[in-house]
Amino acid sequence: MKVIIDRDKLKRRAGLSHAASLGGLLILLGSVAISLWKPGWTTLQAIMLFGGFSISVVGIYYANRWAKKPRPEDILDQALKGFSDHYRIYHYLLPCDHLFLTPNGVVVIETCNLEGVFIYQGGKWRQKLSISRAMRFFVEEKLGDPIQRAQDYARWLKKHLEKDLPEGVNIPVNAMVVFTNPYAEIKVENAAIPVCLPKNLKNRIPKGSSKLTEDVYQQVRMKIEQMADYRAEGKSGTP
């Protein structure tokens, strides 16, 4: 399997999130220093306290998204290890974070890197809130509806993939959700698309009814890489 990833984007966003976290903390310390040295400057102290706290929370939120390990892309790569070079996974190069190209079509993989127990029942998500989860409420991503997000990305991708292809060519574009956090537990009933943990990923990938012809497969690959503005000699990935 070939892995194509925009590591520059990862490093840039991780660096910005760390800078925001540190910057917010320094502003908070500055507000404490002002309260000691200039107790009369209450307005400035309040502004710095609020601003520092807000910046720090935003920084921690995005650090959890872009710097927290284990990384979702690493977990997906490990779970999908062993496929031939006709399988390609693209990370952070399109609006959907993870895209898996197979000889049977394309799979949008929406990941959730959250800890806890998540239940999908009757078309709705619920999660059991623990004390630790409640304490991290403002600095972690929210679950939302990962199934809907994956389906929306799949529809968008199918529309753009088939835009310039010969009329009548049908590109199977499927979607799935993977909970990548090692401490995640899921209970799913009657989901419209596969929802699984990494250990079940290989067996849950939508296979499709037939393989793409080599010509169509190459057209789809080139279209994806054109959309991603990817060049083999430019972006980082496995050769």
Side-chain angles (χ1 to χ4, degrees), residues 88 90 94 99-102 104-107 157 160-162 165 169-173 212-227:
R88 291 172 170 244
Y90 300 84
L94 293 161
L99 179 65
F100 192 40
L101 173 62
T102 81
N104 299 83
V106 182
V107 182
L157 185 64
H160 284 76
L161 279 181
E162 295 182 349
L165 293 178
V169 175
N170 177 49
I171 308 300
V173 179
L212 303 174
T213 66
E214 183 63 22
D215 180 58
V216 171
Y217 171 87
Q218 293 299 336
Q219 289 184 66
V220 173
R221 180 185 65 79
M222 291 175 64
K223 181 67 175 177
I224 290 172
E225 294 177 2
Q226 181 185 36
M227 291 165 60

Side-chain angles (χ1 to χ4, degrees), residues 90-130:
Y90 300 84
H91 299 297
Y92 310 115
L93 291 161
L94 293 161
C96 51
D97 285 343
H98 314 284
L99 179 65
F100 192 40
L101 173 62
T102 81
N104 299 83
V106 182
V107 182
V108 170
I109 303 178
E110 176 72 10
T111 58
C112 295
N113 195 23
L114 297 173
E115 175 184 338
V117 179
F118 304 92
I119 302 167
Y120 184 78
Q121 194 173 46
K124 294 183 179 180
W125 283 99
R126 291 186 296 111
Q127 59 184 110
K128 294 183 178 180
L129 285 178
S130 62

Side-chain angles (χ1 to χ4, degrees), residues 10-119:
L10 276 178
K11 290 178 181 178
R12 187 165 58 250
R13 294 188 176 183
L16 288 172
S17 62
H18 285 313
S21 301
L22 180 59
L25 179 59
L26 290 175
I27 294 173
L28 283 173
L29 292 174
S31 71
V32 174
I34 287 176
S35 69
L36 295 175
W37 297 335
K38 298 288 183 179
W41 292 8
T42 54
T43 301
L44 179 59
Q45 179 190 351
I47 292 173
M48 291 181 67
L49 185 64
F50 177 78
F53 176 77
S54 300
I55 293 171
S56 182
V57 166
V58 170
I60 295 171
Y61 176 92
Y62 283 106
N64 284 328
R65 173 73 174 84
W66 295 106
K68 184 178 180 180
K69 293 184 178 181
R71 297 287 310 148
E73 65 275 8
D74 295 332
I75 292 174
L76 292 180
D77 293 346
Q78 184 62 36
L80 294 169
K81 192 175 180 180
F83 281 116
S84 72
D85 284 350
H86 247 52
Y87 291 79
R88 291 172 170 244
I89 189 163
Y90 300 84
H91 299 297
Y92 310 115
L93 291 161
L94 293 161
C96 51
D97 285 343
H98 314 284
L99 179 65
F100 192 40
L101 173 62
T102 81
N104 299 83
V106 182
V107 182
V108 170
I109 303 178
E110 176 72 10
T111 58
C112 295
N113 195 23
L114 297 173
E115 175 184 338
V117 179
F118 304 92
I119 302 167

Side-chain angles (χ1 to χ4, degrees), residues 87 100 102 104-109 172-177 193-194 201-209:
Y87 291 79
F100 192 40
T102 81
N104 299 83
V106 182
V107 182
V108 170
I109 303 178
V173 179
N174 295 292
M176 66 185 305
V177 176
I193 61 175
L201 177 55
K202 269 191 174 182
N203 294 329
R204 299 296 306 277
I205 293 172
K207 299 294 193 299
S209 56

